[in-house]
Amino acid sequence: MAGFPNALGVVAAVCVLAGAGGAAAATPFGPRGIYVLDSQAGTNINGVPMRDANIRSLPFVAGYALRPSWETMEPHSSQYDFTIIDWNVRKLVAINRKLSLWVIMIEPEWLAETTNVVTWFDDDPRVNHLRAVPWDPFLLARMERFVHMLADHQIDGVPLRDHPVLEAVNFGVAGAKMAIRDPDAVHLRDMAGYTRTGFVSAVLANLRAAVSNFPATHVQTGFWPVTDAINTPRLWEDVRAAILAEFDGVQKPRVGFWMESLSASRPAPGAEPIDGRPITNWALPLYLSRNATWAGFQALTSWLRPFNSYGSQVTNATPADGMQYAFDAYGTRYVELYVSDIDHPGYRPAFDEWAARYAGDDWLSIAYGPAGTPVLRWFGRSGVQYSVQAGGTLSAWAPASPVLTGADAEIAWADAGATGMSARFYRLVTEQPATNWPGFVLSGTNWTYDDGELSMNGVFLMPAGTGMFPGIVISHGLGGSAAGFGLPKAREMAAWGAACIAPNYTHAAGETNTATYGASTENIRRAVKCVDILSGMPFVRPDAISAYGNSMGAFVTIALAAELTNRLAAAAITAGGVVTTPGYSAPTTGTAARVRSPFLILHGSADTTVPPGRSALLKEILDQGGVTNQRVVFEGVGHDLHQVRSNEVHQLIHEWFRSFGGLP
């Protein structure tokens, strides 16, 4: 395939092959695997629950996520009781499973009662007492001492910091809501003595304590988009910049970001799209950091037995849907799931698949094949472009393989050029598509674009194979997203042989400025730029770019076709149309009159969100302009046409784009 000259990033550590029979593998980036969440249930020692009832040795389980509290382990000043740690570590050693330790940093009551400590009242029913503010000097000093004592604590002669069972630690932020996160009772910015500098310093102090005391363990922290009175930059942006600058993987180990809010639902069992949460526009601290560190998630609730009225966020879906969403949107390879889901037999095949996927992805292994040829193997993510670079030293690299496209399966490549060499170094990289738009940066299936005037993000997926591909711009509807709507559609359309790009629009989930919804100037600008980006890729045919959109995405698609009268090969919409007067999120008949691209219109007769009369009006305008078009009405179907009749919808769009859009 032509046009992939710029390596985006090394995804596996350097491997060296030296002498016959040698083999090596990369160190994974952050913790990996499926971890079972603990609960209050289990053994009770001296009135303290050991939280061990959910420990499992199932083949797909990597380990156990234990959540003891600081106040349990230091009930009185300098009186430490780490029985709960000892108990669970020994049980995990016995079954060869790892420990992910999340210490609930609700400081003990005695600390806030100390003279001169600045406090706030936490009215959470599980707490209900005074707590120190995060920047209080006494709190920070006691936090550092507690973390040090825990790291030094020996279990059967081995300090916890050195124990092979310990995989990850999460101490959050003492004095806050167990993370970089506002408590429910009071915003951080409203606490006594708040300054931005003071809070950022407190966050860094917590992370320094964790990293310095657990230098060989993955450290992660919860990170929510916290704000204060300053809007530019926002508080979380300053916090994020400070963390990534200090914990950069060179001066100090990287720190991962984490949230306890992973969920996914479907409109019906097996129906697209997956509505995954947290949405990327809200979880920006994690989304924007996915190339710099890892993102881990805890499930919001159980898919099998949802609680806390979260049922609507997991309806018709499974944990695998949530894991797929997190993997696609954030690159997540670490999840904490509730035991009811872990134990459900129906979920186990998917868990087995995901466990293998987590373990395999981004590893590069080397072994000799027949006739002494080195064979490199790794897990290739669907749609991601890879290449192998090789060299005789660690400072001189040259392309060694062709560009190889992942398909969620193992990739094997034999280096015929290495035969007879005594030593050779390898590294695996993902490739940045060459484009005439330098603001475009791709990481896996996610991309960002920023040229100083326009900033946006979305998903991009390549088809398998080589050659010149047609392109498709995919536009989501109200409350959707590039990851939630665009990526499933892109998977379908990439299988047709198209390079697919899907941006996030101003009507994505979490956006509230209704004036910019639908066919707004900003959204048309984003869609046009997506066409530009595709056109600038040397492996995409600029004369074979089409567009598809649903609902408000259909509005954008109509306006895009009107804006680019000579550049769109074809267009297709579901559940969209036009209006006669301006001022709405839908385009007007005047806008539609400029469309010249062959246009497929699909609508449900029972759609009450966008009445079918609006697509009938679009067809009327297209007919008047002599534009090739077809309108298909699905009797009795509502606004969810693309979901409930997905097979027929995809077939019709596929045939339309084959006829007019350059699909093979």
Side-chain angles (χ1 to χ4, degrees), residues 99-170:
L99 172 65
S100 179
L101 181 63
W102 177 23
V103 177
I104 307 299
M105 295 298 277
I106 304 296
E107 58 276 10
E109 285 191 68
W110 59 261
L111 195 152
E113 294 169 355
T114 303
T115 304
N116 296 326
V117 170
V118 180
T119 62
W120 62 282
F121 188 80
D122 192 340
D123 62 4
D124 185 315
R126 296 167 296 182
V127 182
N128 201 39
H129 61 68
L130 285 173
R131 296 182 57 199
V133 298
W135 42 90
D136 183 84
F138 184 71
L139 168 67
L140 292 173
R142 295 303 307 191
M143 174 275 298
E144 292 169 357
R145 178 172 172 78
F146 167 74
V147 174
H148 179 74
M149 295 301 291
L150 177 61
D152 269 358
H153 174 68
Q154 294 195 5
I155 305 161
D156 300 323
V158 181
L160 181 61
R161 64 161 53 89
D162 300 324
H163 206 292
V165 83
L166 185 63
E167 183 71 9
V169 293
N170 182 348

Side-chain angles (χ1 to χ4, degrees), residues 235-258:
L235 172 58
W236 67 263
E237 292 177 286
D238 266 355
V239 173
R240 173 178 172 269
I243 293 173
L244 295 181
E246 180 168 339
F247 303 95
D248 60 357
V250 179
Q251 303 174 74
K252 295 179 182 178
R254 290 182 177 89
V255 169
F257 299 148
W258 172 96

Side-chain angles (χ1 to χ4, degrees), residues 568-618:
L568 278 191
I573 62 170
T574 47
V578 295
V579 293
T580 56
T581 56
Y584 296 93
S585 58
T588 64
T589 51
T591 297
R594 302 199 305 272
V595 173
R596 293 294 177 266
S597 306
F599 218 102
L600 175 65
I601 306 165
L602 307 177
H603 217 140
S605 67
D607 190 342
T608 58
T609 302
V610 180
R614 294 187 183 176
S615 65
L617 183 57
L618 172 61

